[in-house]
């Protein structure tokens, strides 16, 4: 037993990598400032989102929020659930705890209407992020920070036209998500070719690949595939290769493998909504409101996207993506 | 335990049992001990847990699970499972909302139609089970998948989107809301009507189990269907009745979701069936049937409510919630088994 352990340790020490890995990550972490830069009291801000478990995108939002909280001397509390009832429950929990501010995503606005009214009545400032720009002001939130999904979709349609595409597939990986429907609808609106929706089971990657593959085999004239989440882009590329199709894969959102594939040309473009900014700004704006009664946006949503990212920008963004902030 | 005093000259089966021993033999005892432990734990770990407003939130959270856990407990005592219970709640809400909207009917018409549809699903589960002799796990797994698909498919087909349209401006909405989703504010405390529904359902379920002939049938069917049939218990009727009981409560839960949120998302409810089963098991139901209680399911739901909210009040990362739930399920079941053994040993 001891001998085996020693052998493993020895081997891992002898075989050090001078690039990447945990050590590079630690160096990057040490470079980030983790001390508060202000002397305001330690307020507690709660963030409640509709994210499912283990979601990359929301992880980045959370990172932005956490780093803003560290700067602004905020005690940051996070809770999430993809079921509306549970999300409303978490907002109620935050009110019970008498937090000093609430950040909430309104993917299912009606479900949160009553509980947000309660928060406003209790005098807790609310900022909505990511989804729910239409309801934000009506429910008494100070500001909405996010990307208008229809506008983002329209940007995709325009970009596809620019690239001379004729037949596109929009891959929806979450049945029941209103924002996803809006993205595909927006893309359809501005795209002069034809676009079809393909519903796949996002929690099951092999079945996602099989579904896209089947679609490409059934219709060889498809020349563009648009996925709605970064993790699905590499899968779509695999499906394309397996089906022997020449279609270009484009995606919403970024992650490390998307950046790599953009650089290598395996992906056409990505539409970024800067999740880091959504989390960071939400906390920072709550702090500003508490500290100085500032409100941003003039009653209109503050947009964090869409940003079209192509091979040229991908190279620059790669290191930020690697550290998990883009 | 003190030794039993020998009863001179009388049949030992007629010996009076002490109140303590009666208590020890109750299926829910283990879960009550667990609930006290969880309560004390979060009272120390989370300062805001003990506020009246927080406790009312915990009760509400428990009631949303408990309303379903009680009929699921009865079903498990009857020796069967229902994996379709979670999505059935969503189905019931969707039917109610979409029927009212599409027919431009009074909201109560939708509520009535939804009751019939949900009961029909429950009947289908029970009927298929008794007819095919397949395990209920398979039958209701099929129903679960079919309902999940129907929820998404029908909603998209009828409304063109993935959620229902608002019915808040239609006639009957406010009276239906009063019945299914009203709340009373007493100072900072909000008491929701689901808590009353929950207590009522648990009371009725307990009465059925312990005071009626149907209750004896449920225990008999769960204990051994063939023996029960041989002694004249209507096995088929009992099983179908149990599934319809689950459906009835799914309807109540579904209407609550509809009238508190006004809009229903078609993809929700998946996975909740396990929460109901967990609540029933923590409350002392055996997976093999023939043993358990409705009060236990309520205690199980209360433990669930305390945990899911307590983690938030303690300001821990909710990523750990599922881990706690699993660990608690194991601990509670072990405790139940241990208490049951002790109770049987001292009989």
């Amino acid at each position: 037993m001891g001998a085996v352990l020693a052998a493993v340790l020895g081997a891992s020490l002898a075989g050090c990598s001078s690039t990447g890995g945990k050590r590079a990550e630690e160096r990057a972490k040490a470079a980030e400032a983790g001390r508060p830069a202000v002397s305001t009291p330690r307020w507690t801000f709660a963030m409640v989102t509709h994210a499912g478990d283990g979601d990359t995108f929301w992880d980045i939002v959370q990172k932005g929020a956490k780093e803003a909280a560290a700067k602004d001397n905020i005690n940051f509390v996070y809770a999430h659930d993809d079921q509306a009832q549970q999300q409303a429950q978490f907002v109620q929990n935050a009110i019970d705890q008498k937090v000093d501010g609430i950040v909430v995503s309104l993917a299912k606005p009606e479900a949160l209407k009553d509980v947000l009214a309660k928060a406003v009545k209790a005098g807790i400032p609310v900022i909505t992020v990511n989804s729910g720009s239409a309801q934000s002001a009506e429910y008494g939130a100070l500001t909405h920070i996010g990307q208008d999904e229809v506008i983002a979709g329209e940007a995709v349609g325009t970009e596809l036209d620019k690239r001379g595409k004729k037949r596109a597939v929009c891959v929806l990986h979450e049945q029941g998500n209103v924002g996803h429907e809006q993205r595909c609808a927006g893309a359809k609106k501005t795209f002069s070719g034809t676009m079809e929706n393909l519903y796949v089971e996002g929690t099951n990657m092999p079945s996602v690949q099989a579904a896209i593959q089947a679609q490409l085999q059934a219709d060889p004239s498809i020349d563009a595939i648009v996925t709605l989440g970064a993790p699905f882009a590499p899968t779509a590329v695999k499906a394309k290769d397996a089906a022997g199709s020449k279609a270009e894969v484009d995606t919403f959102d970024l992650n490390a493998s998307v950046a790599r594939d953009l650089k290598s040309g395996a992906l056409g473009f990505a539409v970024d909504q800067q999740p880091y900014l959504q989390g960071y700004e939400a906390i920072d704006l709550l702090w500003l409101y508490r500290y100085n009664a500032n409100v941003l946006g003039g009653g209109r949503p503050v947009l964090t996207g869409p940003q079209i990212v192509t091979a040229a920008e991908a190279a620059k963004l790669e290191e930020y993506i690697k550290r998990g902030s883009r | 335990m003190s030794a039993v005093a020998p009863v001179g000259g009388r049949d030992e089966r007629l010996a009076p049992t002490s109140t303590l021993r009666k208590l020890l033999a109750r299926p829910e005892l283990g879960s009550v001990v667990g609930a006290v432990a969880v309560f004390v734990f979060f009272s120390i770990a989370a300062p805001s847990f003990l506020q009246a407003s927080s406790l009312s939130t915990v009760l509400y959270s428990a009631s949303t699970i408990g309303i379903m856990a009680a009929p699921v407990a009865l079903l498990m005592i009857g020796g069967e499972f229902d994996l379709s219970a979670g999505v059935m709640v969503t189905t019931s809400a969707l039917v109610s909302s979409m029927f009212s909207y599409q027919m431009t009917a009074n909201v109560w018409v939708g509520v009535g139609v939804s009751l019939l549809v949900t009961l029909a699903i429950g009947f289908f589960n029970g009927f298929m089970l008794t007819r095919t002799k397949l395990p209920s796990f398979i039958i209701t797994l099929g129903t679960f998948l079919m309902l999940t698909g129907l929820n998404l498919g029908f909603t998209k087909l009828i409304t063109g989107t993935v959620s229902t349209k608002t019915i808040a401006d239609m006639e009957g909405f406010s009276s239906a809301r009063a019945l299914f989703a009203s709340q009373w504010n007493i100072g900072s405390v909000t008491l929701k009507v689901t808590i009353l529904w929950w207590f009522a359902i648990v009371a009725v379920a307990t009465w059925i189990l312990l005071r009626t002939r149907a209750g004896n049938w449920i225990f008999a069917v769960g204990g051994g269907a063939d023996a029960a049939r041989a002694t004249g218990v209507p096995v088929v009727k009992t099983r179908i009745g149990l599934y319809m009981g689950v459906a009835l409560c799914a309807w109540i839960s579904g209407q609550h979701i509809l009238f508190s949120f006004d809009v229903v998302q078609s993809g929700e409810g998946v996975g909740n069936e396990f929460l109901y089963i967990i609540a029933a098991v923590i409350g002392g139901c055996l997976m093999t049937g023939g043993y358990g209680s409705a009060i236990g399911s309520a205690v199980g739901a209360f433990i669930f409510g305390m945990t899911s909210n307590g983690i938030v009040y303690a300001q821990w990362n909710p990523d750990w919630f599922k881990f706690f739930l699993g660990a608690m399920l194991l601990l509670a079941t072990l405790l139940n088994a241990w208490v049951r053994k002790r109770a049987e040993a001292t009989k």
Side-chain angles (χ1 to χ4, degrees):
Chain A
M1 190 68 216
V4 172
L5 203 66
V8 169
L9 275 175
S12 65
L13 284 175
C16 263
S17 162
S18 59
T19 55
K22 181 80 183 167
R23 200 170 300 171
E25 196 184 318
E26 277 164 359
R27 253 187 241 124
K29 265 217 179 84
E32 289 166 20
R35 280 188 310 279
V38 295
S39 55
T40 44
R42 191 157 177 81
W43 291 310
T44 298
F45 293 164
M47 186 168 191
V48 183
T49 70
H50 67 274
D53 288 331
D55 185 305
T56 338
F57 177 91
W58 284 101
D59 206 43
I60 303 171
V61 176
Q62 217 191 133
K63 192 179 171 71
K66 269 187 180 148
E67 286 180 6
K71 262 188 211 167
D72 295 342
N73 191 24
I74 297 299
N75 174 25
F76 173 72
V77 191
Y78 182 73
H80 66 88
D81 202 291
D82 50 7
Q83 300 213 16
Q85 192 172 10
Q86 198 52 45
Q87 203 197 342
Q89 185 85 54
F90 284 144
V91 177
Q92 178 64 49
N93 290 153
I95 298 169
D96 292 342
Q97 290 178 71
K98 302 187 177 63
V99 297
D100 303 293
I102 294 177
V103 181
V104 66
S105 68
L106 290 182
K108 293 136 186 180
E110 295 82 3
L112 293 166
K113 192 176 180 172
D114 289 357
V115 83
L116 286 185
K118 257 192 210 160
V120 172
K121 208 176 121 197
I124 301 172
V126 176
I127 285 187
T128 56
V129 286
N130 182 262
S131 39
S133 54
Q135 292 82 6
S136 177
E138 183 198 335
Y139 292 1
L142 303 176
T143 308
H144 176 81
I145 303 159
Q147 158 177 278
D148 184 303
E149 301 294 12
V150 179
I151 295 177
E154 287 169 355
V156 170
T158 315
E159 184 71 23
L160 287 173
D161 269 357
K162 236 193 255 169
R163 292 165 178 258
K165 301 297 173 196
K166 295 281 169 280
R167 275 191 65 70
V169 182
C170 199
V171 183
L172 296 95
H173 59 263
E174 204 177 286
Q175 259 176 328
N177 184 317
V178 184
H180 289 182
E181 301 277 338
Q182 287 173 330
R183 285 178 181 182
C184 292
K188 247 193 209 102
K189 203 157 72 182
T190 52
F191 183 45
S192 45
T194 52
M195 181 178 261
E196 274 176 52
N197 283 4
L198 172 67
Y199 291 91
V200 295
E201 203 185 332
T203 49
N204 181 350
M205 261 321 169
S207 82
V208 172
Q209 184 178 337
I212 298 174
Q213 216 168 303
Q215 185 79 1
L216 291 171
Q217 281 159 340
D219 184 355
S221 68
I222 291 172
D223 55 11
I225 307 160
V226 180
T227 58
L228 299 189
F232 302 95
T235 310
V237 172
K238 276 199 202 87
K240 174 190 93 170
D241 294 342
S245 154
K246 288 273 170 287
E248 173 186 286
V249 179
D250 305 305
T251 185
F252 279 81
D253 301 341
L254 294 171
N255 68 11
S257 57
V258 165
R260 198 190 52 233
D261 288 351
L262 281 170
K263 263 189 2 193
S264 72
L267 290 176
F269 64 90
V271 187
D272 187 30
Q273 58 170 315
Q274 307 186 74
Y276 181 89
L277 207 50
Q278 291 178 4
Y280 184 93
E281 284 301 321
I283 297 294
D284 210 33
L285 290 179
L286 275 179
W287 178 83
L288 277 169
Y289 180 76
R290 278 260 166 219
Y291 170 68
N292 209 24
N294 286 131
V295 177
L296 198 66
R300 297 245 176 101
V302 178
L303 298 184
T304 60
Q307 244 197 354
I308 301 277
V309 179
T310 54
E313 294 97 23
K316 191 174 67 191
L317 294 183
E318 201 172 21
E319 65 169 300
Y320 305 149
I321 293 170
K322 265 208 182 109
R323 73 175 183 207
S325 60
R326 277 309 292 264
Chain B
M1 297 298 108
S2 59
V4 188
V7 186
R10 269 176 53 195
D11 188 339
E12 83 279 358
R13 282 170 304 181
L14 296 175
T17 44
S18 69
T19 325
L20 181 70
R21 179 136 333 122
K22 272 203 188 112
L23 261 181
L24 276 179
R26 297 288 315 151
E28 60 271 4
L29 180 80
S31 64
V32 171
V33 175
V36 171
V38 171
F39 186 86
V40 170
F41 174 72
F42 279 115
S43 305
I44 295 164
S48 48
F49 181 77
L50 277 178
Q51 293 170 13
S53 61
S54 305
L55 290 178
S56 67
T57 307
V58 168
L59 266 184
Y60 168 64
S61 184
S63 72
T64 55
I65 300 291
I67 285 176
M68 289 302 291
V72 166
L74 256 56
L75 181 69
M76 284 176 73
I77 295 167
E80 304 298 343
F81 277 109
D82 191 348
L83 296 181
S84 66
V87 278
M88 207 191 297
V89 171
T90 310
T91 305
S92 142
L94 288 169
V95 169
S96 184
S97 161
M98 289 197 287
F99 191 89
S100 303
Y101 187 90
Q102 297 301 327
M103 301 287 158
T104 323
N106 186 303
V107 168
W108 282 100
V109 178
V111 171
V113 170
S114 165
L115 174 62
L116 293 177
V117 170
T118 319
L119 284 177
I121 298 167
F123 178 81
F124 172 84
N125 275 338
F127 180 76
M128 289 296 284
L129 174 82
T130 49
R131 265 308 163 87
T132 58
K133 301 279 190 291
L134 287 172
S136 60
F137 192 92
I138 305 290
I139 300 275
T140 58
L141 189 60
T143 314
F144 155 73
L145 290 168
M146 288 193 290
L147 284 181
T148 311
L150 285 172
N151 285 353
L152 294 165
F154 263 119
T155 310
K156 187 90 185 180
L157 189 74
I158 293 171
T159 66
T161 62
V162 289
S163 55
T164 62
K165 296 188 167 65
T166 175
I167 55 166
D169 50 1
M170 295 177 67
E171 263 175 47
F173 185 85
S174 51
S175 55
R177 175 171 248 189
L179 179 64
F180 291 110
S182 55
Q183 51 185 48
W184 301 276
N185 293 320
I186 309 155
S188 68
V189 181
T190 309
L191 280 181
K192 304 221 180 195
V193 75
T194 44
I195 300 173
L196 296 183
W197 277 105
W198 177 34
F199 288 169
I201 287 167
V202 171
V204 169
T206 307
W207 174 75
I208 289 175
L209 268 185
L210 303 179
R211 290 273 177 273
T212 68
R213 215 162 44 146
N216 289 340
W217 291 345
I218 294 170
F219 277 111
V221 169
D226 295 336
R229 196 175 286 111
T231 52
V233 172
V235 174
V236 171
K237 223 163 72 175
T238 306
R239 280 179 174 161
I240 290 178
L242 285 172
Y243 275 105
M244 289 179 78
V246 173
L248 177 70
C249 293
W251 171 74
I252 294 169
S253 294
Q255 303 315 299
H256 166 68
I257 287 177
L258 169 61
F259 291 110
S260 45
F261 301 145
D262 172 27
V263 167
V264 188
Q265 302 284 334
S266 55
E268 295 200 342
V270 176
N272 289 355
E273 59 278 352
F274 289 113
L275 301 183
Y276 312 145
I277 292 172
I278 286 170
V281 170
I282 289 179
C285 285
L286 284 187
M287 300 299 273
T288 47
Y291 189 84
S293 83
I295 291 175
S297 79
V299 180
F302 186 58
I303 290 182
F304 175 87
M306 283 193 291
T307 312
S308 62
N309 294 285
I311 286 175
V312 182
Y313 290 129
Q315 304 197 351
W316 295 338
N317 187 334
D319 289 352
W320 296 98
F321 170 63
K322 291 253 165 58
F323 170 81
F324 271 101
L325 198 62
M328 224 163 43
L329 174 70
L330 284 178
L331 284 174
T333 320
L334 284 170
L335 185 69
N336 286 343
W338 181 77
V339 168
R340 202 167 48 244
K341 241 200 225 105
R342 293 296 306 248
E344 277 163 8
T346 55
K347 267 209 176 103

